């Protein structure tokens, strides 16, 4: 997970390939040790804007916690994770029995509010995160345009139905009831894929109206985070969640747009460090989303693709707080225990050497014939600056040209800067001094708000001029905008 406001230098592709790009470790010796024998105390990092220190390994809510193969026990997996000191626990309203399995484990751990044995201190030490695939909290159930909502809950469910379903399945009776004092640390809007879904989840956030026909997920979740009733959907003014986040597999431009729209800092987390083993495709499973117990991988890495480097790759990416990994198998033999081996590998501080990162990425391109990123949008080349615009004015006898643009999208290398060019191409009847074509440079920075990049050029003449802006990445590759012609003045 990543802090939406954290400055970092990373390519667009890397934003969501973090988990899947890892592959063969070229530095592994011929006699490979597949894992360490015993994990040390977990390391922690602050999770996004939550202020909560989570362990660098989180327990995923899928694998054997959702699709339980014969011989595995999801409750024992969860209990062992707690015993090892892991404190981030992931589940979802589209993960089948996953939430119910957490409920069984939490009862064993005395984490149910209102019971005589309730251990409030232990509950505060655990960070419980669930997800909803429902984009609207109010409106007509089903599809609206290109927006599709999904849940394992009853037909016609809306966002808050998923929230209360989570509370009931983990802390209550599983039939809609939950005890006072129940809460979820983080509710995430699950698997955002395209821009229309952003329009849906943001609907009503800036101007909540209880009379509105449609209200998006964010406005309603904010009410249940803050104990308010701005939407009219929280009449008891309950506080049932602590934080709100988003997740996704497919499109980093969608994530970037979501962060830019969130001018009120409602979103505290962005989940990207998942599918560290490409949902098992690195270790024998087919190139498809898991659907059944036979898809669950129950071994620890392989001799050709050790698991530890893939975990280190994810956690050495700037901005990542925790790697969320589903567990297929735990074992009394620590070398065969996925949970213990993953936890040992997750003791990562600092960044990985760029040479090793590139080796892992290049190896991943060869694994499964390069098809391990099946859940992501196809890679795209470096893009020009988006929405390039130019205007001019004369102020106190000084001609001022103002340029603006939205962030470019990186290819396989991080963005470096933007170059501003004036009168770059000779056109008949449009003469210029070749030395004047480069007029400025603007360093790239992560654009986390709608405010565009800007540049001012103070021009000494009244002639017409042509401008364009060129994206430059760290490898020196360029992608330029179309030219804009500004007419003569005066």
């Amino acid at each position: 997970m990543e802090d939406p406001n954290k400055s970092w230098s990373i390519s667009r592709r890397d934003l969501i390939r973090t988990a899947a790009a890892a592959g063969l470790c070229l530095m592994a010796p011929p006699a490979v040790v597949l894992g360490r024998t015993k994990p040390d105390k977990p390391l922690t990092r602050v999770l996004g804007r939550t202020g909560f220190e989570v362990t660098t390994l989180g327990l995923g809510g899928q694998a054997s916690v959702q699709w339980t193969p014969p011989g595995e026990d999801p409750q024992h997996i969860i209990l062992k994770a707690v015993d090892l000191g892991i404190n981030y626990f992931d589940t979802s309203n589209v993960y089948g029995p996953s939430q119910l399995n957490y409920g069984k484990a939490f009862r064993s751990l005395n984490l149910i509010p209102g019971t005589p044995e309730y251990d409030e201190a232990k509950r505060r030490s655990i960070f419980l995160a669930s997800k909803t695939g429902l984009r609207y909290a109010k409106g007509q159930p089903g599809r609206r345009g290109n927006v599709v909502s999904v849940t394992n809950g009853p037909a016609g469910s809306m966002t808050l139905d998923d929230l209360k379903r989570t509370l009931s399945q983990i802390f209550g009776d599983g039939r809609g009831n939950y005890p006072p004092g129940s809460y979820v640390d983080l509710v995430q809007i699950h698997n955002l894929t395209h821009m229309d879904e952003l329009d849906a989840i943001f609907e009503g956030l800036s101007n909540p109206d209880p009379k509105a026909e449609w209200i998006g997920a964010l406005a309603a979740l904010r009410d249940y985070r803050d104990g308010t009733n701005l939407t009219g959907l929280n009449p008891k003014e309950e506080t049932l969640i602590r934080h709100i986040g988003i997740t996704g597999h497919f499109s980093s431009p969608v994530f970037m747009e979501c962060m830019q729209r969130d001018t009120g800092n409602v979103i505290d987390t962005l989940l990207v460090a998942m599918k560290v083993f490409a949902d098992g495709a690195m270790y024998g499973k087919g190139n498809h989303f898991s659907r059944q117990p036979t898809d669950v991988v129950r071994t620890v890495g392989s001799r050709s693709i050790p698991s530890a480097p893939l975990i280190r790759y994810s956690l050495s990416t700037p901005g990542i707080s925790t790697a969320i990994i589903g567990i297929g198998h735990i074992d009394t033999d620590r070398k065969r225990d996925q949970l213990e081996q993953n936890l040992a590998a997750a003791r990562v501080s600092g960044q990985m050497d760029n040479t090793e990162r590139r080796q892992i990425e290049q190896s991943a391109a060869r694994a499964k014939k390069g098809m391990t990123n099946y859940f992501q949008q196809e890679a795209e080349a470096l893009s020009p600056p988006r929405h390039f615009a130019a205007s001019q004015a004369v102020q106190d006898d000084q001609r001022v040209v103002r340029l603006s643009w939205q962030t470019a999208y990186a290819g396989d290398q991080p963005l470096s800067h933007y170059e501003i060019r004036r009168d770059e191409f000779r056109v008949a009847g449009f003469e210029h001094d070749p030395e004047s074509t480069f007029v400025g440079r603007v360093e790239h920075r992560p654009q986390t708000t709608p405010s565009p990049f800007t540049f001012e050029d103070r021009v000494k003449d009244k002639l017409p001029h042509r401008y364009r802006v060129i994206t430059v990445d760290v490898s020196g590759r360029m992608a330029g905008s179309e030219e804009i012609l500004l007419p003569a003045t005066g």
Side-chain angles (χ1 to χ4, degrees):
M1 287 197 175
E2 177 256 343
D3 180 346
N5 278 351
K6 188 176 182 70
S7 295
W8 56 342
S9 177
I10 189 168
S11 73
R12 168 174 59 129
R13 185 66 174 163
D14 280 344
L15 181 63
I16 55 174
R17 73 186 291 183
T18 298
L24 218 56
C25 178
L26 302 183
M27 300 176 68
V32 178
V33 176
L34 299 183
R36 293 180 55 184
T37 58
K38 184 178 181 179
D40 297 320
K41 181 180 178 181
L43 298 183
T44 61
R45 300 178 183 179
V46 175
L47 176 64
R49 285 196 288 249
T50 68
F52 195 99
E53 290 194 4
V54 296
T55 48
T56 52
L57 179 69
L59 177 62
Q62 294 194 289
S64 287
V65 176
Q66 177 179 0
W67 303 289
T68 309
E72 306 296 344
D73 187 327
Q75 184 177 347
H76 287 172
I77 292 172
I78 297 166
L79 293 176
K80 182 163 188 175
V82 173
D83 185 60
L84 290 174
I86 293 169
N87 70 357
Y88 184 100
F89 295 92
D90 162 85
T91 186
S92 173
N93 279 280
V94 294
Y95 288 177
S98 177
Q99 294 186 145
L100 291 170
N101 287 328
Y102 273 107
K104 294 175 184 176
F106 278 24
R107 280 168 177 77
S108 298
L109 293 166
N110 297 324
L111 297 179
I112 308 303
T115 60
E117 305 83 9
Y118 178 49
D119 190 337
E120 185 176 359
K122 178 174 285 187
R123 174 65 188 92
R124 287 198 305 267
S125 73
I126 284 174
F127 196 90
L128 174 65
S130 190
K131 313 183 192 79
T132 175
L134 300 171
R135 304 334 190 185
Y136 288 104
K138 182 181 178 183
Q140 298 299 316
R143 189 184 189 110
R144 184 190 185 194
N146 293 323
V147 178
V148 179
S149 292
V150 294
T151 181
N152 292 152
S157 293
M158 308 300 276
T159 304
L160 298 178
D161 296 313
D162 262 4
L163 167 61
K164 294 175 182 180
R165 181 173 182 264
T166 296
L167 292 169
S168 178
Q169 291 194 332
I170 297 178
F171 299 106
D173 59 8
R175 296 189 295 273
N177 302 302
Y178 52 89
S182 302
Y183 66 93
V184 184
D185 294 280
L186 174 67
V187 171
Q188 300 155 105
I189 300 173
H190 198 171
N191 196 21
L192 292 172
T193 301
H194 53 80
M195 296 297 180
D196 288 348
E197 293 177 317
L198 299 190
D199 294 337
I201 67 171
F202 275 92
E203 187 151 349
L205 182 65
S206 60
N207 55 341
D209 179 3
K211 297 180 181 179
E213 181 180 0
W214 293 88
I215 296 176
L218 285 174
L221 290 175
R222 180 179 60 184
D223 267 352
Y224 278 84
R225 181 196 68 186
D226 297 346
T228 56
N229 191 30
L230 302 177
T231 60
L233 300 174
N234 188 15
K236 296 181 181 179
E237 298 188 346
E238 295 178 272
T239 303
L240 299 180
I241 65 178
R242 299 291 186 264
H243 302 281
I244 300 168
I246 59 173
T247 83
H249 309 278
F250 186 72
S251 171
S252 51
V254 168
F255 279 2
M256 294 162 68
E257 175 72 17
C258 192
M259 288 187 284
Q260 290 167 13
R261 291 194 195 187
D262 182 29
T263 55
N265 290 341
V266 172
I267 297 168
D268 285 334
T269 67
L270 165 64
L271 194 156
V272 294
M274 54 188 170
K275 303 200 181 303
V276 174
F277 309 134
D279 192 21
M282 290 287 183
Y283 301 120
K285 188 184 76 68
N287 298 348
H288 58 77
F289 285 101
S290 295
R291 305 184 186 96
Q292 56 193 352
T294 54
D295 289 328
V296 175
V297 174
R298 301 162 72 183
T299 55
V300 177
S302 69
R303 293 188 177 277
S304 60
I305 309 178
S307 56
L310 312 192
I311 296 172
R312 291 191 294 105
Y313 179 96
S314 296
L315 288 171
S316 65
T317 302
I320 299 297
S321 300
T322 184
I324 301 165
I325 302 176
I327 298 299
H329 177 69
I330 57 175
D331 202 289
T332 55
D333 181 348
R334 291 191 174 104
K335 291 183 179 181
R336 298 178 182 275
D337 189 303
Q338 290 182 349
L339 194 56
E340 295 208 32
Q341 294 307 311
N342 292 347
L343 184 58
R347 290 185 53 79
V348 175
S349 58
Q351 298 185 22
M352 180 180 287
D353 177 80
N354 284 335
T355 300
E356 186 179 0
R357 288 185 69 85
R358 295 307 173 205
Q359 287 176 333
I360 291 173
E361 291 170 1
Q362 291 165 8
S363 300
R366 296 192 294 270
K368 281 274 175 47
K369 298 182 180 179
M371 298 300 292
T372 56
N373 288 354
Y374 58 90
F375 46 83
Q376 295 179 3
Q377 188 174 1
E378 291 294 323
E380 296 180 16
L382 175 69
S383 84
R386 298 179 303 119
H387 308 310
F388 174 45
S391 63
Q392 61 181 343
V394 177
Q395 301 172 345
D396 300 326
D397 296 325
Q398 172 66 63
R399 183 183 182 186
V400 179
V401 173
R402 293 186 175 88
L403 310 179
S404 67
W405 63 94
Q406 298 290 326
T407 183
Y409 293 146
D412 61 357
Q413 296 292 323
L415 301 179
S416 172
H417 63 276
Y418 302 95
E419 292 186 2
I420 291 81
R421 304 284 181 89
R422 181 180 64 204
D423 301 340
E424 187 176 10
F425 303 109
R426 291 183 181 274
V427 179
F430 183 63
E431 298 299 325
H432 66 278
D433 177 0
E435 298 298 323
S436 70
T437 61
F438 177 82
V439 294
R441 166 177 169 146
V442 175
E443 299 300 317
H444 177 74
R445 52 174 171 72
Q447 187 184 349
T448 59
T449 73
S451 300
F453 292 87
T454 59
F455 181 83
E456 284 194 358
D457 186 24
R458 296 182 175 271
V459 184
K460 297 179 180 179
D461 59 48
K462 298 181 180 181
L463 299 174
H465 290 289
R466 297 175 184 268
Y467 287 86
R468 75 178 188 133
V469 179
I470 299 173
T471 307
V472 184
D473 70 17
V474 296
S475 70
R477 285 179 293 195
M478 298 182 176
S481 69
E482 297 292 326
E483 282 192 313
I484 293 180
L485 173 63
L486 292 178
T489 59

